[in-house]
Amino acid sequence: MNNDRGQSLQIPQKTTLRAGHIYVATLRSVIETDFSGEIKHRFIYEVELEKQTFHVKRNISIVATDKQLSISEWLKRHSNYSVNHINYEPYIDQQHLILVGEYRESYYVEDIAPLNEFGGILK
């Protein structure tokens, strides 16, 4: 397409998340959900890309099996993890790097890496 000055214009592509990519995300909330009798906690992370906001979730079972992470294992990957925490409040609004995965055309948080208060990666 050309504009009125004869210059070629490209239609902007919609920015979206992509599986296998890493993004800076903020944990916004954790809610309890029931999946056919299995109680899980849903961690909802927010990613902002070029003025668009995406919510990416990770469901962690209350009773982890051999092939699942426990909630305490998931929280150990958060920058401000403490065994003394009794609720999720200290984790809300903390930033992390998240690896986005895709399953059945839905995005989820595959893994996270903690960031410190200045945005640097913790070891």
Side-chain angles (χ1 to χ4, degrees):
M1 173 186 291
N2 292 327
N3 67 6
D4 61 351
R5 294 189 178 116
Q7 298 168 317
S8 177
L9 298 177
Q10 299 296 319
I11 297 172
Q13 297 296 316
K14 181 179 178 184
T15 303
T16 187
L17 295 175
R18 293 179 188 231
H21 287 73
I22 296 172
Y23 301 93
V24 174
T26 304
L27 179 63
R28 289 297 182 202
S29 64
V30 182
I31 59 173
E32 189 169 285
T33 58
D34 184 341
F35 288 91
S36 302
E38 183 181 6
I39 304 300
K40 295 185 177 189
H41 284 189
R42 177 178 288 169
F43 292 75
I44 302 171
Y45 297 85
E46 184 177 275
V47 176
E48 289 189 28
L49 295 174
E50 297 183 23
K51 299 182 184 178
Q52 293 183 59
T53 302
F54 299 90
H55 291 98
V56 189
K57 302 168 184 122
R58 175 66 184 246
N59 298 313
I60 307 288
S61 181
I62 296 292
V63 181
T65 65
D66 295 342
K67 297 179 182 179
Q68 295 175 335
L69 281 173
S70 68
I71 289 176
S72 61
E73 289 298 318
W74 183 253
L75 290 175
K76 284 179 185 175
R77 300 174 186 201
H78 286 69
S79 56
N80 58 340
Y81 171 75
S82 170
V83 295
N84 298 322
H85 290 159
I86 58 173
N87 60 38
Y88 293 115
E89 192 173 323
Y91 303 101
I92 303 303
D93 295 331
Q94 297 294 314
Q95 288 194 322
H96 298 83
L97 293 178
I98 63 168
L99 173 61
V100 172
E102 185 176 7
Y103 180 73
R104 294 185 180 173
E105 299 181 13
S106 294
Y107 294 109
Y108 70 96
V109 179
E110 191 171 314
D111 204 355
I112 61 170
L115 293 176
N116 65 22
E117 62 194 68
F118 305 108
I121 298 176
L122 294 174
K123 294 181 180 181

